[in-house]
Amino acid sequence: MPKMITFQAIPILIDGHDTQGQLVLADGELTAVLARLDGDAHDPKMKGWWHLEAGFGRCDAAKSLVVFKTFEEAGPWVQARLDNVYSLRQANG
């Protein structure tokens, strides 16, 4: 069953850079934290993109670089990760 994916703006302090953040919520539960890549230390091609700073549960991607052009692109990614868990639960009864 699809969850309602919503976003909540929140400032993030990361060495004085990337202070624009988004909490990603699935049915009101925190699933991820995104930070906008605006600092001078980032590749200019990715400036303005959103980096997955933290993911929780099935959205944990600590060993991968996960970025989105817009934070709205993160919604389908989160849903797909959560759907995978749901599908596994359905298959296992």
Side-chain angles (χ1 to χ4, degrees):
M1 182 170 189
K3 294 188 177 263
M4 178 179 278
I5 308 299
T6 57
F7 301 88
Q8 180 180 339
I10 189 164
I12 300 175
L13 180 61
I14 303 173
D15 297 330
H17 298 287
D18 306 329
T19 56
Q20 189 176 359
Q22 291 284 333
L23 300 179
V24 185
L25 307 165
D27 285 347
E29 296 180 321
L30 183 61
T31 58
V33 178
L34 305 177
R36 189 173 172 95
L37 300 175
D38 285 333
D40 292 333
H42 301 296
D43 182 340
K45 293 178 216 160
M46 299 185 97
K47 197 164 190 145
W49 287 39
W50 293 86
H51 175 251
L52 178 70
E53 289 291 327
F56 306 100
R58 292 297 293 178
C59 293
D60 181 8
K63 296 181 182 175
S64 303
L65 174 64
V66 180
V67 293
F68 307 97
K69 277 190 174 186
T70 66
F71 70 82
E72 292 90 350
E73 287 182 1
W77 181 85
V78 168
Q79 188 65 61
R81 304 284 289 217
L82 297 175
D83 285 348
N84 185 33
V85 171
Y86 182 73
S87 296
L88 290 173
R89 286 185 188 150
Q90 290 288 63
N92 293 328

